[in-house]
Amino acid sequence: MENQKIPGHDLKPIKVAGSQLRMYKRNDPDMPEDYRRFMVKLLKHAHVENCGNPNYRTVIANIADAGLRYAPDGRAMMIEAEIVKQEVGHGQFVADIIASLGEDPHNPDWVGQYAFELPLKSWCDISLFHMLIDRVGLYVGIEWMGSTYEPLARISEQLEKEEYFHATAGFRHMKRFVKTPDGKREAQDLLHKWWPAALDMFGKSDSKNSSQYVKWGIKAHTNAELRDKYIEDTVPLIVELGLDVPDNSANRRFL
Ligand SMILES: [Fe+2]
């Protein structure tokens, strides 16, 4: 895994040339209150992975349930159990970082995208979830790796490697799954559910990066740029499975 090139990471560098961005450390006495509030908003109110949010437990429990219930054999179950363990770890990392900002990580509100609420009713569902939805995390994580909050930047590389493992595991599950005509048919059918959900996760194309994001150096790419890169990298995987790629604008809830 060490020397693997993580997809999307050729989009770096994040830092805007000539910018005045500086790094802030844990308990940094120089951290502006504005900055602290912004990081709390980002991690507590806009990010699904947070063990302080009971809805995240539901998301993880659904993934664990489908992964362990439908895995075709013990080896696949072990991979699913590992993925679940790592996702709990991500939620705890984020909760710890929220706490490091002097904020209670507890938040009862739903903050995730709708992809996390879609039903996972079969092995094909959970495999496509890993292959396509976990994969979106790689592209969002690109921005985190360049974060100006040092504890967040520091854990991001590990988070990225683990999400890459989840996405790769999903793709490998699918390679086995499409070997039968029935499997291929189910995969093609479910792709019409998961492909638009994955593309919608990047947000609206016309929304400009908020000035706060730019000011604090957390987002260097637009939603459309990240989505286009995801499409460019992911379409060949779908083709490799022998499946037809759905129209990129079909079944989308927003564009
Ligand atoms: Fe994660």
Side-chain angles (χ1 to χ4, degrees):
M1 191 66 79
E2 286 314 311
N3 296 317
Q4 249 166 356
K5 200 176 147 294
I6 295 180
H9 282 208
D10 46 336
L11 279 176
K12 286 195 288 180
I14 308 290
K15 300 282 165 60
V16 186
S19 70
Q20 299 296 307
L21 299 177
R22 56 152 289 178
M23 297 288 282
Y24 293 101
K25 293 191 185 315
R26 194 178 290 258
N27 299 321
D28 199 321
D30 295 337
M31 185 187 291
E33 174 57 17
D34 219 20
Y35 180 93
R36 192 195 71 84
R37 272 207 306 268
F38 170 73
M39 290 307 296
V40 167
K41 189 174 141 209
L42 179 76
L43 297 170
K44 181 173 171 177
H45 301 288
H47 187 69
V48 70
E49 296 168 311
N50 168 16
C51 284
N53 190 319
N55 295 299
Y56 186 55
R57 288 176 186 254
T58 304
V59 168
I60 296 292
N62 289 340
I63 292 169
D65 184 87
L68 298 177
R69 189 180 301 277
Y70 302 120
D73 53 39
R75 203 157 288 282
M77 285 175 79
M78 285 167 69
I79 291 170
E80 289 302 305
E82 184 65 25
I83 290 174
V84 167
K85 181 185 160 209
Q86 290 178 351
E87 291 295 9
V88 174
H90 298 181
Q92 191 54 38
F93 275 137
V94 171
D96 286 342
I97 289 182
I98 295 169
S100 81
L101 293 159
E103 181 79 16
D104 182 351
H106 178 73
N107 175 18
D109 301 332
W110 172 253
V111 297
Q113 291 98 329
Y114 73 81
F116 295 109
E117 295 182 289
L118 295 177
L120 296 164
K121 289 186 191 154
S122 67
W123 182 237
C124 187
D125 260 332
I126 186 69
S127 299
L128 283 173
F129 180 90
H130 294 316
M131 173 179 157
L132 299 176
I133 304 301
D134 280 325
R135 194 179 174 83
V136 172
L138 294 179
Y139 296 78
V140 176
I142 293 165
E143 311 282 43
W144 281 25
M145 288 180 74
S147 167
T148 47
Y149 189 42
E150 202 250 335
L152 184 61
R154 191 148 29 82
I155 63 151
S156 291
E157 195 165 342
Q158 186 186 338
L159 298 193
E160 287 286 275
K161 279 184 184 158
E162 291 178 354
E163 292 300 350
Y164 187 46
F165 162 61
H166 307 172
T168 308
F171 178 62
R172 291 197 183 126
H173 292 335
M174 287 306 296
K175 274 188 103 164
R176 275 175 73 189
F177 191 77
V178 295
K179 281 189 177 147
T180 66
D182 278 356
K184 198 164 168 184
R185 218 171 298 124
E186 186 182 348
Q188 187 66 63
D189 193 35
L190 287 177
L191 205 49
H192 293 290
K193 165 167 111 181
W194 293 109
W195 184 243
L199 300 186
D200 275 341
M201 282 181 78
F202 290 91
K204 289 201 172 101
S205 287
D206 61 1
S207 79
K208 299 254 184 299
N209 287 344
S210 84
S211 54
Q212 271 199 315
Y213 275 88
V214 176
K215 180 177 171 192
W216 299 123
I218 192 79
K219 212 163 183 290
H221 306 96
T222 63
N223 294 343
E225 270 176 320
L226 291 174
R227 178 168 29 239
D228 288 349
K229 183 67 182 151
Y230 173 90
I231 292 171
E232 184 190 322
D233 293 345
T234 313
V235 161
L237 300 179
I238 297 173
V239 170
E240 200 180 324
L241 294 175
L243 303 173
D244 298 325
V245 183
D247 185 321
N248 289 339
S249 57
N251 298 321
R252 296 280 297 283
R253 298 197 189 177
F254 42 84
L255 290 167

